[in-house]
Amino acid sequence: MNEPEQIVFVIDDDPAMREALDSLLRSVGLDIRCFGSVAEFLGAPRPDIPSCLVLDVRLPGKSGMDFQKELALSDAPLPVIIMTGHGDIAMSVQAMKTGAVDFLPKPFREQDLLDAIAAALDKDRLRRAQAAELAILRERLATLSDGERSVVVLVVQGRLNKQVAGDLGVSEITVKVRRARAMRKMQAGSLAELIKMAGKLGI
Amino acid sequence: MPLLGPLLRRRPLLPALLVLLAAAIFLADTITNLEIAVAVFYVAVVLIAVRYLDRRGVAIVAAACMALTVLSFFLTRAGSMPAGVVNCAISLVAIAVTAYLALRTAAAEASAREAQAQLAHITRVTMLGELTASIAHELNQPLAAIVLNGNAAQRWLAGGNRDEAGKAAERIVRDAERASELIKRLRGLTRKAAGKAIWLDVNKTVTETLPLVQNEAGRNHAALRTELASGLPQIQVDPVQIQQVILNLTLNALEAVKDESVRDVTVQTSLGKPGEVIIAVRDSGRGLDGVQMDHLFDAFYTTKPDGMGMGLAISRSIVESHGGRIWAEPVVPRGAAFRFSLPAGRTGSRGPDR
């Protein structure tokens, strides 16, 4: 089997549901891994590719709703689609508030599930892209010297070169040199781009 | 007299007893020269009246007692006048206070009873709700799987993969069987009559059941009668379940006659076709006009504003699980009769002897 480029995880304690979901998702060309409980899912290796989780509420051991909350608080929040055989409004509101992509009462329309899965995979792809971008920016930021870094901090606050020179007690020429070097290291084509990067990095 | 009608039918001696007691007190109060408040004993009359009469009846009895007290005060010739006035006043106050407190207590008891009945109703509804929720969940699993497998099969077929489509179809059949197995098991739960059946005297079952609804009959001022055929064969049933059916039908009948001018409910036993005993509950109520006879015994069908539509459905399932039938007929000139048959042994036999 080729390495899949995206994957759908399913946790449902009912074998018939797992088989049906497995067949349906394979029929539309999705890669799928099924588990009978949260513990089983946590014990299995998870490839580092865009993925999402279709989660049943009533499970042996840890309940689906509890596990969803835990996932949402973790540093790799996997997008979750909740499905349940006895859902009520309160439960669905709670699930959506905790960030579930969708809440499907059983039995549901296949298209609803497929749409939810597509949305969840997109969400994860976007999150991964953002995380990757942030990692690159952090790497670049790390190459800056302390002097260059303090210039960037003041420049993105909107201070002029002259003012930055005054603030740091260096010459305006030095500020210009450090600023140019920082722009090059950060691969920022313009001041606007640098400001956006600073925003993502939280400086 | 509408007030004393049902009373006379149930306890024919009571009014006479009350009058006798009042008269005795009156005589003692009037004739004797004792300087005590003999009239205080009228509270006994009031207290007895409270047990058997409604509010108005009790008020009338209390007023009559007070009138007698005053009358005997004026009729009394001898004795000290001030003592007489004080005694008379004490008696009047005692009678009035007793009547007031007794009526208050009776009203509180009635509302407590009502609250209890409401609670029982709510408990039943809640239980039903929980049961429905858990059944729904159990059935949802296979149903959801069936739907998904159906969708998957369609997609596999569209893609030309007959093998996968076939497997999905197999799973549909398997899950559908699982769902129907669940329903079968549920049915089994509600039909557990077989084990506890014993041989039973029909008439005895009826006479042992009716005291349970006597109170309700009294409250509705209805006359509850029996017409029991003699020499009936024994029946083989679960006594608790059959009592439940009789109770259900009788309570329905009592409710049907509640607002009528004639309030008769009769429980009959008779011989039906060979090997069959029939129990019938007949009432003088509004009858079965406007009732959908085909659905009368269906679950959740009800003609009562606050009914659940479960009583007759449960009754039918009990009767049918005993191998009998249940049906309803209009009664001429007015009212309805609910009858059910039960299979019986040989006439006059004392048990399953062969």
Side-chain angles (χ1 to χ4, degrees), chain B residues 197-211:
Chain B
I198 56 167
W199 288 92
L200 210 67
D201 184 286
V202 190
N203 291 345
K204 211 172 128 207
T205 310
V206 170
T207 47
E208 279 173 3
T209 309
L210 293 190

Side-chain angles (χ1 to χ4, degrees), chain B residues 132-354:
Chain B
T132 315
S134 78
I135 293 169
H137 184 258
E138 284 303 310
L139 279 176
N140 252 335
Q141 292 290 101
L143 285 180
I146 288 168
V147 172
L148 291 177
N149 277 315
N151 294 143
Q154 281 175 333
R155 285 179 189 272
W156 286 122
L157 278 178
N161 193 332
R162 294 174 55 98
D163 189 37
E164 283 283 1
K167 280 189 208 157
E170 268 169 38
R171 286 194 299 270
I172 293 178
V173 174
R174 183 200 63 193
D175 293 340
E177 273 167 2
R178 181 175 148 209
S180 81
E181 194 60 37
L182 259 171
I183 291 171
K184 230 183 279 171
R185 251 189 296 148
L186 269 173
R187 282 227 183 97
L189 263 185
T190 53
R191 260 180 219 176
K192 47 180 184 184
K196 291 182 270 172
I198 56 167
W199 288 92
L200 210 67
D201 184 286
V202 190
N203 291 345
K204 211 172 128 207
T205 310
V206 170
T207 47
E208 279 173 3
T209 309
L210 293 190
L212 300 173
V213 288
Q214 201 68 57
N215 244 339
E216 187 67 26
R219 216 179 355 239
N220 290 359
H221 299 306
L224 189 55
R225 270 190 286 252
T226 53
E227 287 172 12
L228 306 177
S230 57
L232 288 177
Q234 293 210 316
I235 47 174
Q236 191 182 25
V237 293
D238 180 332
V240 176
Q241 293 197 356
I242 292 308
Q243 282 199 331
Q244 200 183 340
V245 176
I246 297 172
L247 276 181
N248 255 331
L249 297 182
T250 313
L251 286 172
N252 277 352
L254 286 173
E255 200 170 330
V257 300
K258 196 164 67 180
D259 300 319
E260 304 294 323
S261 50
V262 184
R263 280 166 270 188
D264 287 332
V265 172
T266 310
V267 183
Q268 292 172 305
T269 57
S270 59
L271 207 56
K273 284 182 274 181
E276 212 182 56
V277 164
I278 292 178
I279 303 176
V281 179
R282 214 176 56 203
D283 67 63
S284 61
R286 199 162 45 86
L288 297 164
D289 287 346
V291 172
Q292 289 174 276
M293 295 296 278
D294 297 349
H295 298 291
L296 192 52
F297 294 95
D298 288 355
F300 303 118
Y301 176 84
T302 180
T303 56
K304 301 182 215 162
D306 56 351
M308 278 243 296
M310 291 305 286
L312 286 178
I314 291 170
S315 297
R316 177 169 70 175
S317 89
I318 291 176
V319 169
E320 286 179 355
S321 73
H322 280 87
R325 298 171 296 127
I326 187 167
W327 70 99
E329 295 165 348
V331 170
V332 183
R334 54 185 291 102
F338 284 81
R339 299 174 202 276
F340 64 99
S341 68
L342 290 169
R346 271 181 295 142
T347 309
S349 80
R350 301 303 308 160
D353 47 344
R354 30 195 88 161

Side-chain angles (χ1 to χ4, degrees), chain A residues 94-128:
Chain A
Q94 199 206 326
M96 299 311 276
K97 269 186 177 167
T98 347
V101 177
D102 213 334
F103 187 91
L104 303 171
K106 286 180 192 171
F108 42 80
R109 283 185 345 131
E110 112 227 76
Q111 197 56 53
D112 291 344
L113 176 70
L114 295 178
D115 290 349
I117 286 176
L121 287 173
D122 282 347
K123 193 177 168 187
D124 199 41
R125 215 169 279 127
L126 185 67
R127 183 189 64 78
R128 288 172 161 277

